[in-house]
């Protein structure tokens, strides 16, 4: 009996732990490059850090930050515009959503670098403010965008929708996807865009006709209050459907994009 349980654990363990963090695929799971007219940042999961390029973007202005003790797999990041005249040439802030590879904990982070501390292309230190969002829950997609006012960040993932106050470094709303959308089956967002009032997104939704099939869904959400307003699906089983297995895991053939005007 005792030996039986032990063997079972040995067999189960590797199966439970198979999560592939494809660090060589810069396209995987989200958007890891973002910029404005002040700077551009690129999240490098292969090197466990980021590369930042400062305006005016002439050659040799980039700076690399590496922190091997930080086993964070960055899914998506976005830049925050520095409105402060006094520090806009020194301080550069961006936000990211990531999963810690050793724990599958999900962290929202606000990262600020001081350009003056970049020596020979090496940024030896950064101010990092991490907020734990979810414990030990692997995500396939995590998408993030800063709203135009630069006050909030919206995050949409397999399991939750988050609105984060980046001025005060606090969660405004954290909602479980299963109750957030008016659509009663799982939605896996593949792309989002934001304005100061709305979020629009596209992704796959498990079909209510056949749970083995996923259909393309487009949804719109309001920011204040933070709620899903409505959705539309393309329920054409012949051309726009996908198997649930392929729709709920990352794969490059199913990338989508969406843009809003404001
Ligand atoms: C920043 O610069 C702009 C343009 O020069 C000026 O209008 C504004 O008052 C300045 N803001 C601060 C906080 O100094
Ligand atoms: C920027 O510098 C100006 C002039 O020195 C000062 O009046 C202002 O308070 C500073 N602004 C901030 C946000 O530190
Ligand atoms: C950036 O770092 C330099 C060099 O240490 C320092 O003099 C400056 O005050 C820092 N800037 C800000 C806004 O913290
Ligand atoms: C960058 O700076 C850090 C901290 O000073 C140092 O440990 C690291 O070796 C440097 N990296 C390079 C490539 O110079
Ligand atoms: C590296 O990351 C760890 C964990 O997030 C953090 O405590 C540490 O300050 C970071 N080191 C540097 C040099 O930024
Ligand atoms: C994560 O787990 C720790 C320890 O069980 C708990 O204290 C914390 O509240 C949890 N946090 C979240 C965001 O679930
Ligand atoms: C969602 O859209 C459908 C179709 O246009 C409409 O009938 C329904 O009333 C909308 N639901 C909400 C909550 O606005």
């Amino acid at each position: 009996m005792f030996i039986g349980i032990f063997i079972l654990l040995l067999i189960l363990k590797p199966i439970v732990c198979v999560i592939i963090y494809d660090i060589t695929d810069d396209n995987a799971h989200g958007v890891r490059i973002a910029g404005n007219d002040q700077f551009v940042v690129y999240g490098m999961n292969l090197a466990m850090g980021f590369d930042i390029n400062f305006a005016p973007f002439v050659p040799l202005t980039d700076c690399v930050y590496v922190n091997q003790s930080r086993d964070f797999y960055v899914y998506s990041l976005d830049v925050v515009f520095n409105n402060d005249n006094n520090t806009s040439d020194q301080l550069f802030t961006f936000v990211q959503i990531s999963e810690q590879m050793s724990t599958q904990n999900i962290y929202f982070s606000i990262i600020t670098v001081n350009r003056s501390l970049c020596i020979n292309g090496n940024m030896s230190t950064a101010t990092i403010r991490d907020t734990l969002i979810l414990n030990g829950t692997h995500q396939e997609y995590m998408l993030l965008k800063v709203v135009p006012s630069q006050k909030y960040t919206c995050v949409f993932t397999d399991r939750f929708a988050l609105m984060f106050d980046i001025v005060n470094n606090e969660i405004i709303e954290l909602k479980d996807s299963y109750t957030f959308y008016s659509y009663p089956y799982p939605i896996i967002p593949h792309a989002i865009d934001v304005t100061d009032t709305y979020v629009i997104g596209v992704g796959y939704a498990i079909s209510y006709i056949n749970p083995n099939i996923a259909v393309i869904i487009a949804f719109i959400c309001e920011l204040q209050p933070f709620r899903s307003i409505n959705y539309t699906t393309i329920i054409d089983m012949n051309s726009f459907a996908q198997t649930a297995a392929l729709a709920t895991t990352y794969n490059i053939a199913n990338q989508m994009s969406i843009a809003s005007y404001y």
Side-chain angles (χ1 to χ4, degrees), residues 140-181:
E140 282 292 312
Y141 279 87
M142 293 203 283
L143 311 163
L144 160 158
K145 284 265 172 84
V146 174
V147 304
S149 75
Q150 312 293 297
K151 289 188 179 125
Y152 310 112
T153 301
C154 296
V155 185
F156 280 71
T157 77
D158 312 354
R159 277 295 290 276
F160 63 87
L162 167 71
M163 195 161 143
F164 199 95
D165 180 337
I166 53 179
V167 176
N168 299 306
N169 190 28
E170 63 187 22
I171 293 171
I172 298 179
E173 296 256 23
L174 175 59
K175 296 194 168 174
D176 193 305
S177 302
Y178 298 134
T179 53
F180 182 71
Y181 301 104

Side-chain angles (χ1 to χ4, degrees), residues 66-79:
V66 169
N67 188 337
Q68 296 281 356
S69 72
R70 216 173 142 71
D71 64 327
F72 279 27
Y73 186 97
V74 179
Y75 281 59
S76 292
L77 54 71
D78 202 1
V79 294

